[in-house]
Amino acid sequence: MPKKLILYLLGIIIFIVIGFLVYWNLPIEITRKSDITLGNTLIKNIEKYKLDHNKLPTEDDWKTLEELGFNTQSLGAKPDYIVDLKGNYEITFLEGFDGPYLLWNSIDKKWKIDFPRIFSNSVKTDSAIFKGNQILFIRPSEEKFELLKDEDGIYEVDSYFGFGIQRTIDSLDLQGKYKHLKYEVVTDRFIEIKDCKNGPIKIDTDTLLYTTILTSPEKEIKVIRMVNSMGYLSAIDDFLTSNDF
């Protein structure tokens, strides 16, 4: 291959790499301009609704959400909309399955790439109820997984998470010091934790797929976002020794 052609190809590769690096370091106001524009319109409409009705629209009022500009689907609104009992709300553009996501909430009042901060307390959809000392492994339902199956890495993440769950459960069953802990693999869209600090708290698990939640009466919930095929026993032990259980 002629030397000039090699240099030409190398130049193209370097140009592409630099282009990607520049793009990924641009502010989200540029890279996510269309989503932020839509989000700002939704925020404006929500605030007007709040002013007119002296309350926020609820998460399951599909007709109102559509009128405000949300795209409502069988699995919820798009972008995701969450309200809590304190009158805070959050708009999240859920893309993929592992986050972080583009979001805005009425506490910080700015767009950022982060994990959801607000947990729902107002949604009226039936929820799975949990209380006491619990370890909850959040996994997508078959229906949700079908929607995610074309995402890069989804099968690997699902497999690693499955191995991690099984190894954790095996360790919990073998050691008596964990006998006061309950565990469950959760595929419900909405769950409610009854007796945690600031509870009851309702959670849209679509915002926390492939995470592990530790909860205990009168304690703040802990969310382990790392997917670990070797299990979560060390993280649980850290939580135990920090007096969070």
Side-chain angles (χ1 to χ4, degrees):
M1 183 180 293
K3 184 177 181 180
K4 288 185 177 181
L5 180 57
I6 293 175
L7 292 175
Y8 176 73
L9 293 175
L10 286 174
I12 292 176
I13 293 172
I14 292 171
F15 178 79
I16 292 173
V17 170
I18 292 175
F20 273 115
L21 290 175
V22 170
Y23 176 81
W24 286 114
N25 284 282
L26 288 173
I28 58 175
E29 288 78 11
I30 295 176
T31 60
R32 303 297 298 274
K33 182 179 178 180
S34 61
D35 288 334
I36 290 176
T37 298
L38 170 60
N40 286 336
T41 299
L42 295 174
I43 293 166
K44 181 180 178 180
N45 293 341
I46 290 170
E47 292 297 330
K48 185 178 185 307
Y49 181 94
K50 181 179 178 181
L51 185 64
D52 292 344
H53 298 84
N54 199 32
K55 64 178 182 178
L56 288 169
T58 59
E59 300 156 6
D60 57 351
D61 186 350
W62 309 124
K63 181 179 179 180
T64 296
L65 293 180
E66 284 184 355
E67 291 173 351
L68 295 177
F70 287 89
N71 178 21
T72 58
Q73 304 171 333
S74 60
L75 293 176
K78 185 177 182 181
D80 192 67
Y81 170 69
I82 293 291
V83 183
D84 69 15
L85 282 176
K86 297 179 181 179
N88 303 308
Y89 66 94
E90 189 165 66
I91 295 173
T92 307
F93 286 86
L94 297 175
E95 295 181 347
F97 54 88
D98 54 352
Y101 307 104
L102 175 68
L103 59 82
W104 183 99
N105 62 58
S106 57
I107 298 173
D108 300 324
K109 297 184 181 299
K110 64 180 181 180
W111 288 102
K112 57 184 177 178
I113 302 295
D114 204 348
F115 290 98
R117 176 176 177 180
I118 292 176
F119 294 126
S120 171
N121 280 290
S122 62
V123 67
K124 296 180 177 63
T125 307
D126 291 339
S127 305
I129 307 296
F130 299 97
K131 59 183 179 179
N133 298 318
Q134 294 268 1
I135 303 169
L136 307 177
F137 302 102
I138 310 299
R139 205 169 190 176
S141 64
E142 291 183 5
E143 182 182 21
K144 182 65 178 179
F145 188 84
E146 186 68 19
L147 297 176
L148 296 171
K149 67 180 183 181
D150 293 329
E151 296 285 343
D152 289 340
I154 181 67
Y155 289 96
E156 290 81 359
V157 170
D158 191 74
S159 178
Y160 294 156
F161 193 58
F163 281 126
I165 292 172
Q166 191 57 58
R167 286 171 174 161
T168 302
I169 290 175
D170 289 344
S171 298
L172 294 173
D173 289 341
L174 286 172
Q175 301 185 51
K177 68 177 181 177
Y178 301 117
K179 63 182 180 180
H180 65 298
L181 305 181
K182 298 178 182 179
Y183 55 79
E184 186 167 338
V185 178
V186 178
T187 60
D188 301 87
R189 170 69 191 275
F190 296 101
I191 63 174
E192 179 175 347
I193 300 176
K194 279 287 191 183
D195 52 0
C196 62
K197 186 176 181 180
N198 299 321
I201 290 176
K202 288 188 177 181
I203 299 175
D204 179 352
T205 62
D206 272 8
T207 66
L208 293 175
L209 293 177
Y210 298 114
T211 63
T212 302
I213 298 177
L214 307 181
T215 181
S216 185
E218 302 304 321
K219 303 293 183 182
E220 290 187 3
I221 66 172
K222 179 178 179 62
V223 180
I224 303 171
R225 302 184 186 277
M226 176 183 62
V227 175
N228 188 347
S229 63
M230 299 305 294
Y232 299 91
L233 199 62
S234 61
I236 293 170
D237 284 338
D238 289 342
F239 202 41
L240 285 169
T241 56
S242 67
N243 295 320
D244 283 322
F245 263 127

